[in-house]
Amino acid sequence: HFKWKLTTRYPVCSDEGKYDSASYSGRHLLKSFINAALNREEYVHVLGFEGSEEELRDGLKGSPTQRLHFHNAFTDPLGWTDHPAFTVYQFNFEELTHLVKQTSHPKPAILIIDSLSWILRHVSPPAVCKTLQQLKKGGAVRAIIGLLHADMHQRGTVGSVCHLASSIITVAPGMKGDEAVAKITKRSKSGKVIQDEEIFNIKEDFTVTVQSKLSHIGPKQPDPEEKEMDPTANLTFNLRLSDTEREAKGKLALPFVFSKEKKTALLHSGPGSGRILYEPDANDDYDQEDPDDDLDV
């Protein structure tokens, strides 16, 4: 099952998406996703535009980072030197698929994008969205987790990227110094949307502890009294059919419905049936433009 997660600063976005704002950075939560994936023995590829490999690996001390592949877009993201490792202009389906597949994995990997904001500053939003959509269907990656600094972009750009995500986590500072608030939106394949709001903190080993769940917003549950209400009650006429009436209705043959017997009778004429043949006369004067001109007096 493919996931695309997005993380943002005042939010984070994944097929999972994560987005944040200037008031709270989502990078710690992004690292917690990387740490959790490595502990699950997943293979993780990181496109690093906003941090070096040394910084990332140093923050993940104690994690099994041998399955972590860092693609350096931090040193020369725009390709100004002769031999850049990875540039923002390589953010396309073909390049990323080759990048992931050049390392042999027994199963599809997880792609981490740090961050989508850097890419969106140099690549058009439609091109970015197209690449993300192609990666979701390409099979080279099992999940995409991207960090998006939402307050750096227009609302339409943020909305377009988030529309592709199956999960969106928006993070903001909490009441206490070590706490943060996460608003989580999940979309299922059936179109059902579930929203949660949680208070959490992140420990030094990047494990996440949920302090409390503030709310759960899902499909509205029907009120028991509302569910039992009968709209046909207290009427001066009856809208319901008895079993006998329902059975009689089922046996009724409607005049405009052709049964199998009617079709057979019309298509296969029996003995004694007649037909009318008409041969136009030479004196017939029929005008297609005025079929009723013979009625003129």
Side-chain angles (χ1 to χ4, degrees):
H1 173 63
F2 180 84
K3 290 186 176 180
W4 145 238
K5 184 178 291 182
L6 178 64
T7 301
T8 63
R9 253 187 330 212
Y10 60 84
V12 181
C13 304
S14 137
D15 132 84
E16 286 175 42
K18 170 181 177 183
Y19 57 98
D20 60 10
S21 68
S23 61
Y24 187 87
S25 173
R27 180 158 286 104
H28 292 296
L29 187 55
L30 188 69
K31 286 186 177 181
S32 73
F33 282 125
I34 298 174
N35 180 65
L38 293 173
N39 288 331
R40 293 194 307 267
E41 300 185 354
E42 302 270 9
Y43 287 83
V44 180
H45 287 257
V46 178
L47 296 182
F49 286 93
E50 297 187 5
S52 65
E53 181 175 7
E54 292 75 16
E55 179 189 353
L56 178 66
R57 291 186 180 273
D58 183 62
L60 295 173
K61 282 183 178 179
S63 302
T65 55
Q66 66 273 14
R67 291 186 303 278
L68 175 65
H69 302 279
F70 186 87
H71 304 287
N72 183 13
F74 175 71
T75 305
D76 185 16
L78 298 178
W80 288 352
T81 62
D82 293 333
H83 302 287
F86 187 86
T87 70
V88 69
Y89 306 112
Q90 291 175 266
F91 188 80
N92 57 66
F93 174 69
E94 292 76 14
E95 291 277 0
L96 293 174
T97 300
H98 174 72
L99 200 68
V100 173
K101 288 187 174 181
Q102 70 182 4
T103 307
S104 58
H105 298 148
K107 56 184 179 180
I110 293 178
L111 179 63
I112 307 291
I113 304 175
D114 182 18
S115 70
L116 278 169
S117 290
W118 224 103
I119 298 170
L120 285 167
R121 290 179 62 188
H122 301 278
V123 182
S124 68
V128 173
C129 291
K130 179 181 178 181
T131 299
L132 292 174
Q133 186 69 12
Q134 288 175 327
L135 287 170
K136 288 175 65 175
K137 299 179 179 180
V141 295
R142 188 184 68 82
I144 304 172
I145 302 176
L147 176 66
L148 179 66
H149 309 311
D151 51 2
M152 292 178 59
H153 309 283
Q154 294 180 354
R155 185 178 300 178
T157 299
V158 175
S160 298
V161 176
C162 290
H163 181 72
L164 298 175
S166 61
S167 301
I168 303 170
I169 304 173
T170 304
V171 293
M175 299 297 292
K176 298 180 181 179
D178 60 342
E179 290 182 348
V181 178
K183 294 181 180 180
I184 306 167
T185 302
K186 296 180 181 179
R187 300 187 185 96
S188 64
K189 289 184 177 180
S190 62
K192 181 180 180 181
V193 177
I194 299 176
Q195 293 180 316
D196 291 310
E197 189 171 332
E198 299 176 350
I199 297 176
F200 71 96
N201 61 16
I202 301 175
K203 298 180 180 179
E204 291 184 0
D205 61 353
F206 290 105
T207 57
V208 178
T209 303
V210 177
Q211 305 294 335
S212 62
K213 182 179 290 189
L214 299 182
S215 64
H216 175 82
I217 307 172
K220 182 184 176 184
Q221 298 296 323
D223 186 70
E225 295 182 1
E226 226 179 283
K227 192 174 180 181
E228 295 176 1
M229 187 180 294
D230 185 0
T232 65
N234 303 321
L235 295 177
T236 57
F237 51 90
N238 185 21
L239 291 177
R240 299 186 182 278
L241 296 177
S242 65
D243 293 339
T244 305
E245 291 170 333
R246 192 175 290 107
E247 184 179 353
K249 179 183 176 183
K251 293 179 179 179
L252 181 63
L254 300 176
F256 50 82
V257 176
F258 281 91
S259 65
K260 186 176 181 180
E261 291 77 11
K262 285 184 179 180
K263 289 181 181 178
T264 304
L266 290 172
L267 295 175
H268 304 285
S269 302
S273 60
R275 290 183 296 172
I276 299 176
L277 300 178
Y278 172 73
E279 293 185 5
D281 189 86
N283 295 323
D284 286 347
D285 184 14
Y286 182 77
D287 187 355
Q288 291 286 351
E289 295 183 0
D290 187 7
D292 297 327
D293 65 344
D294 59 326
L295 300 179
D296 293 339
V297 180

